[in-house]
Amino acid sequence: MYSNVDKLLTRPTSFGSETGSLAVGEFEASPEVRDFVTSECKVLVVGAGGLGCEILKDLALSGFADIHVIDMDTIDVSNLNRQFLFRAKDVGSPKATTAAAFINARCPKTTVTAHVGKVQEKDGDFYAQFNVVCSGLDNVEARRWLNSMLVSLAEVDDDGNVVDPSQIIPMVDGGTEGFRGQARVIIPRFTSCFECSLDSFPPQKTYPMCTIAETPRLPEHCISYAQLVEWPKAFPDKSVDTDSPEDMTWIFKVAETRAQKFDIEGVTYMKTMGVVKNIIPAVASTNAVVSAVCVNEVFKLMTLCSQSLNTYMMYMGNHGVYTHTFEYKKKDDCPITSARVRTLAVAPTMLLGTLIESMCGPDSDLRLKAPSLTTASQSLYMRKPKALEAATRANLGKPLSELVADDDEITVTDAIFPGDVSLTLKLSFECEEAA
Protein backbone atom coordinates (compact mmCIF):
# COMPACT_ATOMS: atom_id res chain seq x y z
CA MET A 1 0.00 0.00 0.00
CA TYR A 2 2.86 2.37 0.80
CA SER A 3 5.21 1.34 -2.01
CA ASN A 4 6.06 4.94 -2.85
CA VAL A 5 6.92 5.65 0.77
CA ASP A 6 9.15 2.55 0.80
CA LYS A 7 10.98 3.72 -2.30
CA LEU A 8 11.73 7.05 -0.70
CA LEU A 9 12.63 5.87 2.80
CA THR A 10 14.21 2.44 2.35
CA ARG A 11 16.51 2.74 -0.65
CA PRO A 12 19.44 5.10 -1.29
CA THR A 13 18.46 8.35 -2.98
CA SER A 14 20.13 11.54 -4.12
CA PHE A 15 19.25 13.00 -0.73
CA GLY A 16 21.80 10.83 1.11
CA SER A 17 24.56 12.51 3.08
CA GLU A 18 27.30 11.10 0.84
CA THR A 19 25.99 13.07 -2.14
CA GLY A 20 25.50 16.36 -0.37
CA SER A 21 22.19 15.98 1.39
CA LEU A 22 19.48 18.59 1.20
CA ALA A 23 18.13 17.10 4.38
CA VAL A 24 18.26 18.43 7.90
CA GLY A 25 20.91 16.33 9.62
CA GLU A 26 22.17 13.01 8.29
CA PHE A 27 19.32 11.25 6.53
CA GLU A 28 20.09 7.74 5.36
CA ALA A 29 17.33 5.70 3.75
CA SER A 30 16.57 2.67 5.92
CA PRO A 31 13.69 0.47 7.08
CA GLU A 32 14.06 2.11 10.51
CA VAL A 33 12.99 5.48 9.13
CA ARG A 34 10.02 3.88 7.41
CA ASP A 35 9.08 1.96 10.56
CA PHE A 36 9.14 5.16 12.62
CA VAL A 37 6.60 6.79 10.29
CA THR A 38 4.37 3.75 9.98
CA SER A 39 4.35 2.59 13.59
CA GLU A 40 5.88 5.01 16.11
CA CYS A 41 5.22 8.57 14.98
CA LYS A 42 2.15 10.17 16.60
CA VAL A 43 0.57 13.02 14.65
CA LEU A 44 -2.09 15.36 15.97
CA VAL A 45 -4.41 17.00 13.45
CA VAL A 46 -6.19 20.05 14.86
CA GLY A 47 -9.43 20.71 13.03
CA ALA A 48 -11.55 18.38 10.92
CA GLY A 49 -13.10 20.90 8.55
CA GLY A 50 -12.36 21.50 4.89
CA LEU A 51 -8.60 21.62 5.37
CA GLY A 52 -8.56 19.05 8.17
CA CYS A 53 -10.32 16.40 6.06
CA GLU A 54 -7.68 16.79 3.35
CA ILE A 55 -4.86 16.64 5.91
CA LEU A 56 -6.21 13.44 7.47
CA LYS A 57 -6.48 11.79 4.07
CA ASP A 58 -3.00 12.87 2.98
CA LEU A 59 -1.40 11.76 6.24
CA ALA A 60 -3.01 8.32 6.04
CA LEU A 61 -1.93 7.84 2.44
CA SER A 62 1.60 9.02 3.29
CA GLY A 63 2.11 6.13 5.67
CA PHE A 64 1.40 7.69 9.07
CA ALA A 65 -0.34 5.02 11.12
CA ASP A 66 -1.01 6.73 14.46
CA ILE A 67 -3.07 9.87 13.90
CA HIS A 68 -5.21 11.80 16.36
CA VAL A 69 -7.73 14.49 15.45
CA ILE A 70 -9.42 17.08 17.64
CA ASP A 71 -12.41 19.22 16.66
CA MET A 72 -15.31 20.72 18.59
CA ASP A 73 -17.82 21.11 15.75
CA THR A 74 -20.63 18.98 14.42
CA ILE A 75 -21.36 18.40 10.73
CA ASP A 76 -23.68 20.82 8.96
CA VAL A 77 -25.28 20.22 5.59
CA SER A 78 -23.30 23.18 4.21
CA ASN A 79 -20.06 21.25 4.88
CA LEU A 80 -20.83 18.41 2.50
CA ASN A 81 -19.74 20.12 -0.72
CA ARG A 82 -16.06 20.12 0.28
CA GLN A 83 -15.57 18.13 3.49
CA PHE A 84 -15.51 14.83 1.66
CA LEU A 85 -15.18 12.54 4.67
CA PHE A 86 -18.80 13.32 5.56
CA ARG A 87 -22.12 12.21 4.07
CA ALA A 88 -25.70 13.43 4.43
CA LYS A 89 -26.39 10.78 7.05
CA ASP A 90 -23.61 12.30 9.19
CA VAL A 91 -25.24 15.72 9.60
CA GLY A 92 -25.37 16.54 13.30
CA SER A 93 -22.56 14.13 14.24
CA PRO A 94 -19.19 15.30 15.61
CA LYS A 95 -16.69 16.00 12.85
CA ALA A 96 -13.76 14.40 14.69
CA THR A 97 -15.40 11.02 15.30
CA THR A 98 -16.96 10.86 11.84
CA ALA A 99 -13.71 11.72 10.08
CA ALA A 100 -11.80 9.20 12.18
CA ALA A 101 -14.28 6.43 11.40
CA PHE A 102 -14.11 7.16 7.67
CA ILE A 103 -10.30 7.02 7.53
CA ASN A 104 -10.17 3.91 9.71
CA ALA A 105 -12.58 2.11 7.39
CA ARG A 106 -10.73 3.08 4.20
CA CYS A 107 -7.13 2.78 5.43
CA PRO A 108 -6.78 -0.36 7.58
CA LYS A 109 -3.09 0.30 8.28
CA THR A 110 -3.96 3.64 9.87
CA THR A 111 -5.61 4.26 13.23
CA VAL A 112 -7.22 7.64 13.74
CA THR A 113 -8.26 8.53 17.29
CA ALA A 114 -10.90 11.22 17.69
CA HIS A 115 -11.10 13.87 20.41
CA VAL A 116 -14.24 16.02 20.54
CA GLY A 117 -13.79 19.42 22.17
CA LYS A 118 -11.82 22.65 22.12
CA VAL A 119 -8.05 22.65 21.88
CA GLN A 120 -8.03 24.76 25.05
CA GLU A 121 -9.64 21.92 27.01
CA LYS A 122 -6.57 19.70 26.71
CA ASP A 123 -3.57 20.08 29.01
CA GLY A 124 0.16 19.98 28.40
CA ASP A 125 0.38 16.23 29.00
CA PHE A 126 -2.01 15.65 26.10
CA TYR A 127 0.04 17.66 23.62
CA ALA A 128 3.38 16.37 24.91
CA GLN A 129 2.62 12.85 23.65
CA PHE A 130 2.80 13.85 19.97
CA ASN A 131 5.80 14.08 17.66
CA VAL A 132 4.27 16.74 15.43
CA VAL A 133 1.09 18.82 15.22
CA CYS A 134 -0.63 19.71 11.94
CA SER A 135 -3.17 22.49 12.30
CA GLY A 136 -6.11 23.26 10.05
CA LEU A 137 -7.83 25.72 12.37
CA ASP A 138 -10.16 28.41 11.10
CA ASN A 139 -9.62 31.10 13.73
CA VAL A 140 -6.72 33.13 15.08
CA GLU A 141 -7.56 32.77 18.76
CA ALA A 142 -7.24 28.98 18.81
CA ARG A 143 -4.02 29.18 16.78
CA ARG A 144 -2.53 31.58 19.31
CA TRP A 145 -3.40 29.29 22.20
CA LEU A 146 -2.05 26.18 20.48
CA ASN A 147 1.14 28.00 19.52
CA SER A 148 1.61 29.15 23.11
CA MET A 149 1.07 25.64 24.44
CA LEU A 150 3.68 24.05 22.18
CA VAL A 151 6.23 26.76 22.90
CA SER A 152 5.66 26.41 26.65
CA LEU A 153 6.34 22.65 26.46
CA ALA A 154 9.86 23.37 25.15
CA GLU A 155 11.13 24.76 28.44
CA VAL A 156 14.43 26.64 28.44
CA ASP A 157 17.05 27.18 31.12
CA ASP A 158 18.53 30.50 32.22
CA ASP A 159 20.86 30.46 29.21
CA GLY A 160 17.99 29.99 26.76
CA ASN A 161 18.76 26.35 25.97
CA VAL A 162 15.91 23.87 25.66
CA VAL A 163 15.92 21.60 28.72
CA ASP A 164 14.39 18.54 27.05
CA PRO A 165 14.81 18.39 23.23
CA SER A 166 12.19 15.63 23.03
CA GLN A 167 9.59 18.23 23.97
CA ILE A 168 10.28 20.34 20.89
CA ILE A 169 7.07 19.54 19.03
CA PRO A 170 6.95 21.15 15.56
CA MET A 171 3.70 22.61 14.32
CA VAL A 172 2.76 22.82 10.65
CA ASP A 173 -0.01 25.37 10.35
CA GLY A 174 -2.25 25.73 7.30
CA GLY A 175 -5.05 28.08 6.38
CA THR A 176 -7.19 28.88 3.35
CA GLU A 177 -9.47 31.68 2.22
CA GLY A 178 -11.12 31.39 -1.15
CA PHE A 179 -8.43 30.80 -3.77
CA ARG A 180 -5.63 31.81 -1.39
CA GLY A 181 -3.86 29.79 1.24
CA GLN A 182 -0.80 29.58 3.43
CA ALA A 183 1.35 27.01 5.20
CA ARG A 184 4.09 27.54 7.71
CA VAL A 185 6.50 25.55 9.82
CA ILE A 186 6.93 26.49 13.48
CA ILE A 187 9.69 24.80 15.47
CA PRO A 188 9.29 26.04 19.05
CA ARG A 189 12.23 28.13 20.34
CA PHE A 190 14.04 27.91 16.98
CA THR A 191 11.83 29.61 14.40
CA SER A 192 9.36 32.44 14.63
CA CYS A 193 6.09 31.41 16.22
CA PHE A 194 2.51 32.30 15.36
CA GLU A 195 2.52 35.20 17.81
CA CYS A 196 5.53 36.70 16.02
CA SER A 197 3.38 37.17 12.92
CA LEU A 198 0.15 38.26 14.62
CA ASP A 199 0.30 41.71 13.03
CA SER A 200 -0.10 40.10 9.60
CA PHE A 201 -3.61 38.95 10.55
CA PRO A 202 -5.97 41.93 10.49
CA PRO A 203 -8.50 42.00 13.34
CA GLN A 204 -12.06 41.03 12.53
CA LYS A 205 -13.80 43.95 10.84
CA THR A 206 -16.40 45.83 12.85
CA TYR A 207 -18.46 48.89 11.97
CA PRO A 208 -19.12 51.99 14.12
CA MET A 209 -22.64 51.95 15.53
CA CYS A 210 -23.18 55.56 14.49
CA THR A 211 -22.51 54.63 10.87
CA ILE A 212 -24.73 51.56 11.07
CA ALA A 213 -27.61 53.49 12.62
CA GLU A 214 -27.38 56.89 10.95
CA THR A 215 -25.46 56.87 7.65
CA PRO A 216 -25.18 53.35 6.20
CA ARG A 217 -23.17 53.23 2.97
CA LEU A 218 -22.50 49.51 2.48
CA PRO A 219 -24.69 46.41 2.40
CA GLU A 220 -22.72 45.21 5.45
CA HIS A 221 -23.98 48.26 7.37
CA CYS A 222 -27.58 47.34 6.64
CA ILE A 223 -27.08 43.72 7.63
CA SER A 224 -25.33 44.67 10.87
CA TYR A 225 -28.18 47.10 11.64
CA ALA A 226 -30.75 44.35 11.20
CA GLN A 227 -28.76 42.02 13.44
CA LEU A 228 -27.65 44.43 16.17
CA VAL A 229 -30.52 46.93 16.32
CA GLU A 230 -33.72 45.51 14.85
CA TRP A 231 -33.39 41.92 16.06
CA PRO A 232 -33.19 42.83 19.80
CA LYS A 233 -36.24 45.05 19.34
CA ALA A 234 -38.29 42.31 17.71
CA PHE A 235 -36.97 39.42 19.82
CA PRO A 236 -35.68 40.82 23.13
CA ASP A 237 -35.47 37.41 24.79
CA LYS A 238 -33.93 35.46 21.91
CA SER A 239 -30.45 35.41 20.43
CA VAL A 240 -29.91 35.01 16.71
CA ASP A 241 -29.47 31.37 15.73
CA THR A 242 -27.02 31.66 12.85
CA ASP A 243 -27.81 28.08 11.79
CA SER A 244 -31.56 28.78 11.56
CA PRO A 245 -32.82 29.55 8.03
CA GLU A 246 -35.80 31.35 9.57
CA ASP A 247 -33.63 33.67 11.66
CA MET A 248 -31.25 34.39 8.81
CA THR A 249 -34.14 35.07 6.40
CA TRP A 250 -35.62 37.55 8.87
CA ILE A 251 -32.34 39.46 9.11
CA PHE A 252 -31.93 39.37 5.33
CA LYS A 253 -35.43 40.81 4.73
CA VAL A 254 -34.96 43.60 7.28
CA ALA A 255 -31.51 44.44 5.85
CA GLU A 256 -32.93 44.43 2.33
CA THR A 257 -35.66 46.88 3.32
CA ARG A 258 -33.14 49.21 4.94
CA ALA A 259 -30.86 48.99 1.91
CA GLN A 260 -33.72 50.02 -0.39
CA LYS A 261 -34.44 53.00 1.87
CA PHE A 262 -30.88 54.28 1.49
CA ASP A 263 -30.53 53.19 -2.15
CA ILE A 264 -27.81 50.65 -1.34
CA GLU A 265 -27.30 47.63 -3.58
CA GLY A 266 -25.76 44.27 -2.79
CA VAL A 267 -27.75 42.89 0.13
CA THR A 268 -28.26 39.19 -0.61
CA TYR A 269 -29.02 36.17 1.50
CA MET A 270 -25.50 34.83 1.01
CA LYS A 271 -23.92 38.15 2.01
CA THR A 272 -26.19 38.22 5.05
CA MET A 273 -24.88 34.78 6.01
CA GLY A 274 -21.32 35.95 5.49
CA VAL A 275 -21.65 39.07 7.65
CA VAL A 276 -23.62 37.49 10.49
CA LYS A 277 -21.60 34.27 10.63
CA ASN A 278 -18.30 35.86 9.56
CA ILE A 279 -18.06 33.21 6.86
CA ILE A 280 -14.77 32.82 5.01
CA PRO A 281 -15.32 31.47 1.48
CA ALA A 282 -14.00 27.93 1.09
CA VAL A 283 -12.77 26.30 -2.11
CA ALA A 284 -12.07 22.56 -2.13
CA SER A 285 -9.14 22.78 -4.54
CA THR A 286 -7.39 25.35 -2.33
CA ASN A 287 -7.77 23.05 0.65
CA ALA A 288 -6.23 20.22 -1.38
CA VAL A 289 -3.21 22.29 -2.43
CA VAL A 290 -2.48 23.66 1.05
CA SER A 291 -3.02 20.25 2.66
CA ALA A 292 -0.49 18.69 0.30
CA VAL A 293 2.07 21.30 1.32
CA CYS A 294 1.35 20.82 5.03
CA VAL A 295 1.59 17.03 4.94
CA ASN A 296 4.74 17.21 2.82
CA GLU A 297 6.29 19.35 5.56
CA VAL A 298 5.15 16.92 8.26
CA PHE A 299 6.75 14.06 6.30
CA LYS A 300 10.03 15.95 5.90
CA LEU A 301 10.15 16.95 9.56
CA MET A 302 9.56 13.41 10.76
CA THR A 303 12.02 11.70 8.37
CA LEU A 304 14.58 14.46 7.71
CA CYS A 305 14.55 13.34 4.07
CA SER A 306 14.70 16.92 2.81
CA GLN A 307 15.02 20.52 3.91
CA SER A 308 11.83 21.76 5.56
CA LEU A 309 10.08 24.98 4.66
CA ASN A 310 11.76 28.09 6.04
CA THR A 311 9.26 29.16 7.26
CA TYR A 312 6.23 30.44 5.31
CA MET A 313 4.53 29.63 2.01
CA MET A 314 1.73 31.58 0.38
CA TYR A 315 -0.50 30.12 -2.32
CA MET A 316 -2.09 32.78 -4.53
CA GLY A 317 -4.59 30.82 -6.57
CA ASN A 318 -6.68 33.86 -7.46
CA HIS A 319 -3.86 34.97 -9.78
CA GLY A 320 -2.98 31.53 -11.14
CA VAL A 321 -0.98 28.63 -9.75
CA TYR A 322 1.57 30.78 -7.95
CA THR A 323 3.35 30.34 -4.65
CA HIS A 324 5.72 32.52 -2.70
CA THR A 325 7.99 31.52 0.18
CA PHE A 326 9.85 33.59 2.72
CA GLU A 327 11.26 33.41 6.23
CA TYR A 328 9.23 34.98 9.00
CA LYS A 329 11.73 36.43 11.46
CA LYS A 330 11.38 36.03 15.20
CA LYS A 331 10.20 39.12 17.04
CA ASP A 332 12.60 40.25 19.73
CA ASP A 333 9.70 41.20 22.00
CA CYS A 334 7.37 38.31 21.18
CA PRO A 335 5.32 37.67 24.33
CA ILE A 336 5.56 33.91 23.81
CA THR A 337 9.12 33.18 22.75
CA SER A 338 10.99 36.15 24.21
CA ALA A 339 11.98 36.57 27.84
CA ARG A 340 12.39 40.28 27.27
CA VAL A 341 10.37 42.56 29.52
CA ARG A 342 8.28 45.00 27.50
CA THR A 343 8.49 48.63 28.53
CA LEU A 344 5.27 50.55 28.09
CA ALA A 345 5.31 54.35 28.31
CA VAL A 346 2.12 55.59 29.96
CA ALA A 347 0.85 58.66 31.73
CA PRO A 348 0.63 58.43 35.53
CA THR A 349 -2.97 59.64 35.25
CA MET A 350 -4.00 56.81 32.90
CA LEU A 351 -6.68 54.64 34.48
CA LEU A 352 -5.99 50.94 34.92
CA GLY A 353 -9.14 50.18 32.94
CA THR A 354 -7.87 52.30 30.05
CA LEU A 355 -4.56 50.43 30.07
CA ILE A 356 -6.39 47.11 29.87
CA GLU A 357 -8.58 48.35 27.03
CA SER A 358 -5.51 49.51 25.10
CA MET A 359 -3.97 46.04 25.34
CA CYS A 360 -7.16 44.44 24.00
CA GLY A 361 -7.86 46.89 21.19
CA PRO A 362 -7.49 46.06 17.48
CA ASP A 363 -4.62 48.53 17.17
CA SER A 364 -2.57 46.80 19.88
CA ASP A 365 0.05 44.30 18.79
CA LEU A 366 -0.89 42.22 21.85
CA ARG A 367 -4.62 41.85 21.07
CA LEU A 368 -5.34 40.34 24.45
CA LYS A 369 -8.77 38.92 25.19
CA ALA A 370 -9.41 39.10 28.93
CA PRO A 371 -6.19 40.01 30.77
CA SER A 372 -5.57 39.86 34.50
CA LEU A 373 -2.79 42.01 36.00
CA THR A 374 -0.70 41.51 39.11
CA THR A 375 2.50 42.90 40.59
CA ALA A 376 4.88 41.20 42.99
CA SER A 377 2.95 42.68 45.90
CA GLN A 378 -0.69 42.94 44.84
CA SER A 379 -3.43 41.92 42.43
CA LEU A 380 -4.34 44.90 40.26
CA TYR A 381 -7.26 43.26 38.47
CA MET A 382 -8.20 39.58 38.34
CA ARG A 383 -10.90 38.11 36.10
CA LYS A 384 -11.35 34.97 38.17
CA PRO A 385 -12.57 33.86 40.64
CA LYS A 386 -15.66 36.04 40.96
CA ALA A 387 -14.83 37.08 44.51
CA LEU A 388 -11.37 38.31 43.48
CA GLU A 389 -12.80 40.09 40.42
CA ALA A 390 -15.26 41.92 42.68
CA ALA A 391 -12.47 42.81 45.11
CA THR A 392 -10.23 44.28 42.41
CA ARG A 393 -12.89 45.87 40.20
CA ALA A 394 -12.56 49.26 41.88
CA ASN A 395 -8.95 49.48 40.69
CA LEU A 396 -10.15 49.84 37.09
CA GLY A 397 -11.16 53.44 37.81
CA LYS A 398 -7.94 54.39 39.58
CA PRO A 399 -4.95 56.11 37.96
CA LEU A 400 -1.87 53.97 37.55
CA SER A 401 0.17 56.24 39.83
CA GLU A 402 -2.00 55.13 42.77
CA LEU A 403 -1.45 51.44 42.02
CA VAL A 404 2.13 51.07 40.80
CA ALA A 405 5.39 52.98 40.89
CA ASP A 406 7.46 54.14 37.94
CA ASP A 407 9.31 51.20 36.36
CA ASP A 408 7.24 48.62 38.25
CA GLU A 409 6.81 45.28 36.51
CA ILE A 410 3.34 43.87 35.92
CA THR A 411 2.59 40.23 35.14
CA VAL A 412 -0.20 39.84 32.60
CA THR A 413 -2.07 36.57 32.16
CA ASP A 414 -4.74 36.06 29.53
CA ALA A 415 -7.06 33.42 28.09
CA ILE A 416 -4.95 33.24 24.92
CA PHE A 417 -1.98 31.99 26.97
CA PRO A 418 -2.21 28.42 28.30
CA GLY A 419 -1.19 27.31 31.76
CA ASP A 420 1.41 29.51 33.44
CA VAL A 421 2.45 31.42 30.32
CA SER A 422 2.39 35.14 31.02
CA LEU A 423 3.62 38.50 29.75
CA THR A 424 5.76 40.89 31.80
CA LEU A 425 5.32 44.63 31.32
CA LYS A 426 7.33 47.46 32.83
CA LEU A 427 5.41 50.69 33.10
CA SER A 428 7.35 53.89 32.52
CA PHE A 429 5.66 57.15 33.47
CA GLU A 430 7.04 59.09 30.52
CA CYS A 431 3.85 60.55 29.07
CA GLU A 432 2.45 63.77 30.47
CA GLU A 433 -1.17 63.18 29.59
CA ALA A 434 -3.32 60.08 29.75
CA ALA A 435 -4.20 58.48 26.45
Side-chain angles (χ1 to χ4, degrees):
M1 181 177 180
Y2 303 127
S3 58
N4 291 327
V5 174
D6 286 343
K7 290 177 182 178
L8 178 60
L9 298 182
T10 64
R11 71 180 189 181
T13 71
S14 58
F15 296 115
S17 59
E18 294 181 359
T19 57
S21 175
L22 295 175
V24 180
E26 297 294 320
F27 170 73
E28 289 292 349
S30 69
E32 287 76 16
V33 179
R34 187 268 318 274
D35 292 344
F36 172 75
V37 169
T38 59
S39 61
E40 298 178 34
C41 183
K42 294 184 70 171
V43 185
L44 174 64
V45 177
V46 184
L51 185 56
C53 284
E54 291 280 356
I55 290 173
L56 285 168
K57 177 260 294 180
D58 288 348
L59 284 170
L61 296 179
S62 296
F64 292 95
D66 191 356
I67 305 171
H68 292 240
V69 58
I70 181 170
D71 194 293
M72 62 174 288
D73 290 336
T74 56
I75 300 164
D76 184 77
V77 67
S78 63
N79 302 145
L80 302 181
N81 69 325
R82 65 195 180 281
Q83 298 176 19
F84 59 91
L85 300 183
F86 311 138
R87 300 293 183 265
K89 63 180 178 60
D90 300 321
V91 171
S93 301
K95 288 184 176 181
T97 54
T98 306
F102 192 105
I103 297 292
N104 289 335
R106 291 293 186 93
C107 302
K109 291 186 178 182
T110 297
T111 300
V112 181
T113 304
H115 305 273
V116 179
K118 296 181 178 180
V119 294
Q120 295 92 334
E121 295 172 350
K122 299 295 184 180
D123 59 15
D125 291 338
F126 172 79
Y127 292 101
Q129 66 180 303
F130 299 103
N131 297 99
V132 63
V133 173
C134 193
S135 167
L137 287 164
D138 60 359
N139 68 91
V140 171
E141 181 181 328
R143 279 190 175 105
R144 295 178 71 184
W145 189 94
L146 181 61
N147 171 79
S148 300
M149 169 58 75
L150 297 181
V151 172
S152 69
L153 291 177
E155 297 181 8
V156 295
D157 57 25
D158 294 338
D159 296 324
N161 301 314
V162 178
V163 176
D164 183 3
S166 68
Q167 290 305 298
I168 300 174
I169 303 172
M171 178 169 73
V172 180
D173 178 56
T176 64
E177 180 177 340
F179 291 101
R180 298 178 297 171
Q182 54 85 20
R184 70 181 301 178
V185 171
I186 297 172
I187 302 178
R189 306 293 184 185
F190 287 89
T191 69
S192 60
C193 72
F194 186 83
E195 201 76 18
C196 293
S197 59
L198 185 62
D199 54 1
S200 68
F201 292 84
Q204 182 175 331
K205 183 178 291 186
T206 57
Y207 303 101
M209 183 57 70
C210 57
T211 300
I212 294 173
E214 303 296 337
T215 55
R217 299 182 299 275
L218 302 172
E220 290 85 352
H221 295 161
C222 300
I223 296 167
S224 295
Y225 181 86
Q227 177 190 6
L228 301 176
V229 178
E230 293 298 333
W231 179 274
K233 291 180 182 178
F235 309 99
D237 300 321
K238 178 185 176 184
S239 299
V240 177
D241 182 357
T242 58
D243 293 321
S244 167
E246 291 78 14
D247 289 7
M248 298 306 297
T249 299
W250 189 93
I251 293 177
F252 162 60
K253 292 297 184 182
V254 173
E256 187 179 44
T257 301
R258 184 168 178 79
Q260 292 172 352
K261 176 181 177 181
F262 287 90
D263 197 25
I264 298 172
E265 298 181 352
V267 174
T268 64
Y269 183 81
M270 289 305 298
K271 181 173 281 294
T272 301
M273 291 279 288
V275 172
V276 175
K277 300 183 71 171
N278 191 32
I279 292 176
I280 297 174
V283 177
S285 58
T286 308
N287 288 332
V289 170
V290 172
S291 169
V293 175
C294 289
V295 174
N296 191 39
E297 293 306 317
V298 170
F299 190 88
K300 289 190 292 185
L301 286 166
M302 292 299 98
T303 64
L304 303 180
C305 69
S306 185
Q307 177 66 52
S308 58
L309 178 67
N310 184 30
T311 53
Y312 201 98
M313 186 280 298
M314 296 180 63
Y315 169 64
M316 297 162 282
N318 49 335
H319 299 299
V321 187
Y322 298 111
T323 61
H324 173 60
T325 62
F326 61 94
E327 180 184 3
Y328 236 118
K329 297 293 186 180
K330 295 176 69 174
K331 287 183 67 174
D332 292 336
D333 60 350
C334 173
I336 303 300
T337 60
S338 173
R340 177 180 297 183
V341 176
R342 285 192 175 211
T343 299
L344 192 63
V346 297
T349 54
M350 175 183 279
L351 303 181
L352 177 64
T354 304
L355 173 65
I356 292 176
E357 289 177 4
S358 70
M359 292 190 293
C360 298
D363 295 330
S364 169
D365 63 337
L366 294 174
R367 294 195 211 171
L368 301 183
K369 183 180 180 183
S372 296
L373 285 72
T374 62
T375 66
S377 59
Q378 65 172 322
S379 297
L380 299 179
Y381 180 67
M382 299 296 292
R383 302 274 177 174
K384 295 179 181 180
K386 289 184 178 180
L388 193 52
E389 193 280 332
T392 57
R393 190 183 307 154
N395 288 341
L396 295 175
K398 295 180 180 180
L400 294 173
S401 58
E402 291 186 15
L403 301 171
V404 296
D406 190 17
D407 283 344
D408 265 3
E409 290 187 1
I410 297 177
T411 299
V412 182
T413 57
D414 192 85
I416 65 169
F417 304 141
D420 58 356
V421 177
S422 61
L423 167 69
T424 303
L425 292 177
K426 178 182 287 187
L427 296 187
S428 177
F429 293 156
E430 295 180 0
C431 301
E432 295 182 359
E433 296 182 0

